[in-house]
Every structure is written in structure tokens, then in C-alpha cells.
Amino acid sequence: MEEKKFDLNSIIGFVLIFGILVWIMYQNQPSDKEIAAEKAKKELVAKQEAQSTTDKTKTAVLPVTAATPGDTVQLAQLQKTLGGFAYSATLPSAKEGFTTIENEKMILKIANKGGYIVKATLKEFKRFEKNSGQLVELIKDNNSNLSIQLQTTDNRTLNSKDLYFEPTLTKNGGDQILTMRLKAGANEFLEYKYILKSNDYLVGFDIRTQGLNKVLNSSKPLDLVWDLKSYRNEKSISIEKRFAQLEYEYGDEKYSSVSSGNAKEDTPEKVSFIAFKQHFFAAILATDKPFEKSKLQSDELVKDEKIDTTFIKQFKATVPLAFSHGEVDYKMNWYFGPSDYKVLKSYDKNFQKIIPLGWGIFGWINQWVFIPLFGFLSSYIAYGIAIIIFTIIIKLAMSPITYKSFLSQAKMKVLRPEITELGEKFKKDPMKKQQETMKLYNKAGVNPMAGCIPALIQLPFMYASFQFFPSAFELRQKSFLWADDLSSFDAVVKLPFNIPMYGSHISLFPILAAIAIFFYMKMTSGDQQMAAPQQEGMPDMAKMMKIMIYVSPLMMLIFFNSYGAGLSLYNFISNLITIGIMFVIKNYIVDTDKIHAQIQENKLKEPKKQSKFQQRLQDVMEQQEATKKQNKK
């Protein structure tokens, strides 16, 4: 076979060809002027197309200019398009006008066209960070619409958001009352009434009709459609996306939410309120007379966190407004404000249910322990210090359980040599080994489950903290040490690149919490291994604990890097305190020699009566042993 050799001439030829191709591509590359000209051309074409689309839309909605009330010819032309609501286009208010109402909490801007809120600004809160200079605006720049599909008796379908309402602003004491009427005549109209009280986030919102029984088809309900694209207001897009949710109450005070993800939908009945919730703010529509049916939709808008940085989610609710005696009459409320548990609960409308405190016992712990305790502490001291004292109180309250757990481990550690001896003695008979081990436990007065139960009791409190701190509105934009916002990550280093699952920054509190977890597990893993001898057919717990010593801190670093600094601070202090408590218990409270002497004394006594669980376990073992012997025969 002929040996293959490198051909120098061929290599030189390929290099020359490649160089010529690069030169041709460079020469044919458009200049900066050509690129700018092409870009301007595309922008001009896009602008013309957008203008054309806008013009077509305007023509479709209102093809004839508004007329004066006495212009019967123009009114007749409007009636061809608007039917009975042509009258509204003849009024002076049939133009792009706005009415603004405000109190100490918010500013609301309502448009003549559509009669709905086009801007809702919260005056007390800033976007992203305390000194950003940008107020939180839940509604602005057409991110929200409210409309009613109007089915007329002459078979027309009109949309209220395309028609002009007539505004009337009055005051009643400290209340501002804005009445918006879409008129079909002097005394026939669809009315939105906004009632804004002083120093309040709740806005009265009534919808009613008067004298429209000959204009509207009342054989089926009117469809009210409310949609909103939620603006991003916090530093962490991923966390805000996780907590942004469409929540609702239905039936007999039942509560649920539309699942997260793309194009998710629910159709609950008897809905009493609908909440478009962001992480720390919410827009809620509540009704005194529940909506019989509803169609609630939620869609993710953040596909790429580097690009999709303006909006978080798209929410939409479609509900029917039922006729009663030929008219519609609904008493409702808007809530535009913070997702603060205390504020929401003060309205006595179950709004606080939108706060994700956890289900079952986790929610109870947050509701009856964490919220009252932390609220009391934070009303007197700074929030960072309040977290530390809060953690100390919780851990001290749990210390008797920690003591019980460590005491059980110490007893098991004393018995380990005898358990190991039984393992060697009955090496070929695992069932007998289990039976004898259970007898030893009973004789020594040791319950092998005693160490697990205290740990299980502490788990709900740990999980409750994972729900409480990310939902605590009080921590928003509150600083402590290097963290300028305890509700968001405490970045001390900005990375020029993104690490998958970790992020593009380094937070310090998660690092401290990870170090504390490492030393805590290092401190306790030896005792746990000594307390739990290897069982036949069971995983090697010693090896698993060695792995967990390194896995747990790593998980803390990865998953908590983008979480709020308050939660990481709580975990850091919690593990420090636990290390201290364990050190005191181990060195100054639990005496291993006394435990050993007590166990030996217990062995001389009459064995305690087995519990029902132990008796059942013993019976099962004996039955299995008997079956095994029978099968051998």
C-alpha cells in the first residue's frame, strides 16, 4: 500500500484560495454609509406600513368624524356604523381626552375613549431600587385594556374601548367620583363609576346600564374583557417571573391560580375576585356579585432573560355581566397596590390569599407565627437586625427538639457496638438480626425513631421560611450591611459572563450560608454515622452523608444566588445558631457515660411494653420468618 504524504503545493494552493475568498468578501462588504442608508430605508417602509395599519384601524372603528348634536345628516351616517351609540360621537367629549384623579397613594388616568384606566401610578414605591427615580406604574403605555363586547338589537357587535365616554367628576366629602358614560341618548347609557377615597389603594368601580333595553340584546350576558401585560419592577427577572401569577377566588371562598407556563387557561365558576399579581404588586378586580363563569388566561413573556426585560407575563380575564330586568348592575372594586399581607388583609375581601405562604401546616406557621412575630420585631428595629433576632427566637424555641434529636443519636451511638456484634452473629440471617436488634432496643429503652421525629417537626418551619421571606413585602428595598435590598440578591461582584443556573453575579450571603451549612454537617455527620449502623440491603448512609456534606453547600450557592438576601441571611444565622446549640449540648449537657450507665441499668429492668407500631413490626418479621422456613421445607 502506498504511504500518504503531505503535498506542500496543495496546502499552499488552499491557503491562497482561502485568502482570495476573504479578500473578495471584504471588498464586497457594504460601507457604513450604505448600511445606514439601508437601515433608514427599512425604517421608513416600516413606519409607512404602521401608519397605514393605524389609519385602517381608525377608519374601521370610527369612519365618520364626530358630529354636533344638531347635525342630523352626520348623525345618520354615524348610525350606519355605531347604531344606537352614534349619539356618543356627537358629544364634545368625543375626542382624545383624559381625566386624572389621585390621592396620597396613587394617580389614576382615565381616557374618554373606552372609559377605562390607561395609567395607574403608585406614588410611594420605586422600580428596581430605592433611588431609581422611577415610580411603579402598573398601567401605562397601553399595556392594559378594559372592554365590553356590546351586542346590539340590530345585530351589531361594538367594543366599548373604541367608543367615547362622557366624563363627569364630582366630590363627596373626601371621595372623588368620576362617572364615565357611553351614551345612546340623553338618558340612555352604559356607565363606569370610579370612586377614589383618600389615602386608599382600593377604588370603587361600578358598571351599570340605564335605558338600553331597546339598544342592547339582553338575551345573553355582556362579555367584560380585562387584559394586562405586567411590567418588570424588580431587579431579578427570574424571581419576579416565578412569583408573577394570575390568582382568583371562586365558589365558596375556594382559591386557586392559573398554572405558570405558556398559554395556560382556567375556566372557574362563581368568581369573586381576579388578581393579576406581580412579585410585590397586584392589580385586583373584585365583585360583590360573583361572575357566573370566567375564562382566565396567563402567558409567559420572558423567553430569554437577556432580551425580554420589559414585561413579565400577559394576563387576560373574560367574564360575563348578566342582565337583570333588562339592565346590568355590578358593584365592584379595583385594587392597585403592594402585595403586602397586612394591607391586603385589612380589606376583608380575602385578598391576602394571593400571598404564597404555602399550603396546610406551612401556611399556618407563616400566618400565625412568622408574620405576627416578624411584624412585631420589624416595627421596632431595623429589618436586618429583625431577621437576626427573629431567627434566634425560632431556633431557641426549636432547641428542645434539637436536644431530643441529639440525645437519641447519643443513645444509638452507645448501642452501636452491640448492634454491630448482632450483625456479625446473625450475618447469614438478616431477619433474625432485625428481630434481635429490636429486642435490644426494647430492653435498653431506646427508640430508634426518636431521632427522626424531632427532625420531622423542624422541617415544616424550614419550608415555611422558604415561602415567607421571598413573599415579605416589608423587605423590599430595605438595606442591611452590603445588601441594598433584602428582598433581592446581594450582588457583591458583577460577572462579565453568565453561569448557567447560577447567574451573572456573586451574592455574599448565600456564600456565608453555604459555609455555615458545611461546618454544621461536618460537625453532625460523624455522630449520625455512628448512631446509624449499616443495615443489610440498605444504602450506605456513611457514604451518603459524606457526599451531602459537599452537595448541600453547593446547592445553597447555586439556587440561592438569585434569591432575596433576607432568606440567605436567615439561613446563615440559623445554621450558626444550630452549630452553637449543638456544641453546647454535646459538650456541656449530654454525658455519654451517664447515658451508657442508664442503658445498662435499663437492661436489668423488665423490658418496657412494646408500642403498637413495634408490636406490629415484630409480628410482621416473625410471620416473614415463618414463611421463609416453610418455603425451605
Side-chain angles (χ1 to χ4, degrees):
M1 182 180 291
E2 185 179 358
E3 184 180 358
K4 293 183 180 180
K5 298 180 179 179
F6 287 108
D7 188 346
L8 182 61
N9 292 330
S10 297
I11 294 173
I12 293 171
F14 281 124
V15 171
L16 289 173
I17 291 170
F18 178 74
I20 291 169
L21 288 172
V22 171
W23 181 80
I24 291 172
M25 290 173 66
Y26 177 77
Q27 288 298 319
N28 286 300
Q29 185 177 7
S31 64
D32 292 341
K33 290 183 178 180
E34 290 173 332
I35 292 172
E38 182 64 23
K39 184 178 180 181
K41 183 179 177 182
K42 288 181 179 179
E43 289 177 351
L44 180 61
V45 171
K47 187 176 181 181
Q48 289 174 343
E49 289 178 351
Q51 184 64 40
S52 175
T53 303
T54 303
D55 292 342
K56 288 178 182 178
T57 303
K58 288 181 178 178
T59 303
V61 173
L62 195 61
V64 183
T65 57
T68 60
D71 192 342
T72 55
V73 175
Q74 199 76 332
L75 181 61
Q77 290 179 341
L78 286 168
Q79 286 174 338
K80 292 179 182 179
T81 305
L82 305 178
F85 290 104
Y87 182 87
S88 65
T90 69
L91 302 175
S93 56
K95 58 184 179 182
E96 295 289 341
F98 304 93
T99 304
T100 299
I101 55 177
E102 69 175 289
N103 61 12
E104 295 83 352
K105 301 292 187 184
M106 70 177 85
I107 304 171
L108 300 179
K109 185 178 180 181
I110 296 92
N112 287 2
K113 189 175 183 180
Y116 61 93
I117 298 170
V118 294
K119 194 169 186 179
T121 305
L122 301 181
K123 299 166 71 172
E124 300 175 308
F125 307 106
K126 300 293 193 298
R127 297 182 72 198
F128 307 129
E129 57 189 11
K130 188 184 299 182
N131 300 316
S132 68
Q134 302 178 56
L135 291 175
V136 170
E137 295 175 297
L138 300 183
I139 299 176
K140 68 171 183 175
D141 299 336
N142 299 315
N143 74 314
S144 179
N145 289 287
L146 181 81
S147 63
I148 295 178
Q149 299 293 328
L150 302 170
Q151 302 293 331
T152 66
T153 53
D154 55 358
N155 295 320
R156 299 175 192 276
T157 301
L158 303 175
N159 198 316
S160 66
K161 72 183 181 69
D162 298 325
L163 305 176
Y164 289 100
F165 287 64
E166 183 182 56
T168 303
L169 180 60
T170 60
K171 288 189 176 182
N172 182 12
D175 299 349
Q176 300 172 66
I177 303 171
L178 176 62
T179 302
M180 305 294 295
R181 288 179 175 176
L182 171 61
K183 291 188 171 182
N187 295 304
E188 296 87 37
F189 50 81
L190 165 67
E191 179 184 271
Y192 297 164
K193 183 185 286 185
Y194 300 90
I195 305 168
L196 182 63
K197 297 180 179 180
S198 62
N199 202 32
D200 203 344
Y201 296 111
L202 199 66
V203 183
F205 179 59
D206 301 341
I207 296 180
R208 73 182 184 99
T209 62
Q210 178 176 300
L212 296 183
N213 53 323
K214 293 182 180 180
V215 179
L216 295 178
N217 179 5
S218 59
S219 62
K220 58 181 180 179
L222 300 177
D223 281 339
L224 175 68
V225 181
W226 174 38
D227 64 75
L228 182 143
K229 288 166 67 176
S230 65
Y231 277 102
R232 174 190 167 205
N233 287 307
E234 312 305 327
K235 286 197 299 184
S236 175
I237 298 176
S238 59
I239 298 300
E240 189 164 9
K241 181 176 71 172
R242 184 177 303 170
F243 284 94
Q245 199 87 356
L246 197 163
E247 317 275 353
Y248 58 90
E249 185 182 62
Y250 68 104
D252 186 17
E253 296 190 357
K254 297 177 183 176
Y255 182 77
S256 189
S257 60
V258 178
S259 302
S260 297
N262 295 325
K264 299 296 183 179
E265 181 180 306
D266 280 359
T267 55
E269 299 180 354
K270 302 287 185 182
V271 174
S272 52
F273 76 71
I274 299 164
F276 294 167
K277 179 184 175 295
Q278 301 174 17
H279 187 183
F280 285 125
F281 299 95
I284 305 175
L285 177 62
T287 175
D288 293 346
K289 181 167 61 177
F291 303 122
E292 289 296 325
K293 296 181 180 179
S294 65
K295 182 179 179 182
L296 308 178
Q297 298 165 282
S298 175
D299 194 14
E300 299 277 5
L301 297 181
V302 180
K303 314 299 180 185
D304 186 335
E305 292 185 8
K306 294 180 181 179
I307 301 171
D308 306 321
T309 59
T310 303
F311 298 104
I312 300 297
K313 286 192 176 180
Q314 172 76 63
F315 300 122
K316 185 176 182 181
T318 304
V319 295
L321 302 179
F323 283 91
S324 177
H325 305 293
E327 302 288 0
V328 167
D329 190 2
Y330 276 77
K331 305 291 184 185
M332 297 186 284
N333 291 101
W334 290 111
Y335 174 85
F336 298 108
S339 297
D340 185 327
Y341 184 88
K342 294 189 292 294
V343 173
L344 293 170
K345 190 176 182 181
S346 68
Y347 291 108
D348 197 26
K349 292 179 178 291
N350 292 331
F351 289 167
Q352 72 275 9
K353 289 183 178 180
I354 72 172
I355 308 297
L357 297 178
W359 54 271
I361 189 173
F362 312 116
W364 300 338
I365 291 171
N366 277 323
Q367 187 175 355
W368 302 110
V369 180
F370 283 10
I371 290 176
L373 177 59
F374 187 74
F376 172 77
L377 293 172
S378 59
S379 62
Y380 292 100
I381 52 180
Y383 285 91
I385 303 298
I387 291 175
I388 294 173
I389 296 176
F390 171 84
T391 311
I392 292 172
I393 292 172
I394 295 296
K395 295 308 293 184
L396 288 178
M398 293 285 105
S399 59
I401 297 174
T402 305
Y403 169 74
K404 288 282 186 183
S405 180
F406 187 83
L407 182 62
S408 176
Q409 289 179 18
K411 289 179 179 180
M412 294 291 290
K413 183 178 178 181
V414 169
L415 285 178
R416 183 180 173 89
E418 295 180 56
I419 295 172
T420 304
E421 185 180 337
L422 289 174
E424 291 296 324
K425 184 177 180 180
F426 300 103
K427 190 174 184 179
K428 296 182 180 180
D429 192 346
M431 187 63 67
K432 186 67 174 176
K433 173 189 168 185
Q434 290 286 352
Q435 291 174 344
E436 293 299 320
T437 302
M438 292 296 292
K439 287 180 182 178
L440 175 62
Y441 288 149
N442 188 43
K443 191 175 181 181
V446 175
N447 184 358
M449 298 297 293
C452 301
I453 295 172
L456 290 174
I457 292 173
Q458 295 183 74
L459 277 177
F461 286 84
M462 181 182 71
Y463 180 80
S465 70
F466 291 145
Q467 296 292 112
F468 170 72
F469 284 101
S471 302
F473 181 84
E474 304 96 312
L475 298 180
R476 186 177 187 268
Q477 295 179 2
K478 299 298 190 299
S479 59
F480 180 65
L481 298 178
W482 57 85
D484 56 4
D485 186 348
L486 286 168
S487 72
S488 189
F489 52 82
D490 58 313
V492 291
V493 177
K494 297 282 187 181
L495 300 175
F497 50 84
N498 184 69
I499 302 174
M501 297 177 65
Y502 185 74
S504 57
H505 64 273
I506 297 176
S507 299
L508 184 53
F509 275 128
I511 294 175
L512 296 176
I515 293 171
I517 288 175
F518 174 79
F519 282 106
Y520 165 69
M521 296 195 72
K522 194 80 172 174
M523 177 181 181
T524 59
S525 61
D527 291 330
Q528 290 173 350
Q529 292 168 28
M530 289 294 292
Q534 174 67 21
Q535 299 293 326
E536 191 77 25
M538 297 295 289
D540 190 340
M541 295 303 295
K543 289 182 179 179
M544 289 181 66
M545 287 304 300
K546 286 180 181 178
I547 295 172
M548 289 304 296
I549 288 173
Y550 300 98
V551 170
S552 294
L554 184 62
M555 290 175 64
M556 170 62 74
L557 283 175
I558 293 173
F559 294 110
F560 283 74
N561 190 59
S562 294
Y563 258 83
L567 179 60
S568 298
L569 173 60
Y570 171 81
N571 279 280
F572 170 54
I573 300 299
S574 177
N575 282 292
L576 278 184
I577 295 170
T578 304
I579 290 172
I581 290 172
M582 293 293 287
F583 178 82
V584 171
I585 291 173
K586 187 175 182 179
N587 291 280
Y588 298 101
I589 298 178
V590 173
D591 189 330
T592 307
D593 293 334
K594 285 185 178 180
I595 292 173
H596 183 269
Q598 183 64 51
I599 288 176
Q600 299 307 318
E601 184 180 335
N602 290 340
K603 287 181 182 179
L604 301 175
K605 297 178 182 178
E606 187 73 21
K608 290 183 179 180
K609 185 179 179 181
Q610 289 183 327
S611 66
K612 291 183 179 180
F613 173 77
Q614 289 175 321
Q615 186 62 52
R616 286 198 201 100
L617 189 62
Q618 184 73 20
D619 293 341
V620 168
M621 288 180 180
E622 290 176 357
Q623 188 177 0
Q624 289 178 344
E625 183 68 17
T627 303
K628 186 177 178 181
K629 290 180 180 179
Q630 186 67 29
N631 291 335
K632 285 183 179 181
K633 293 180 180 179

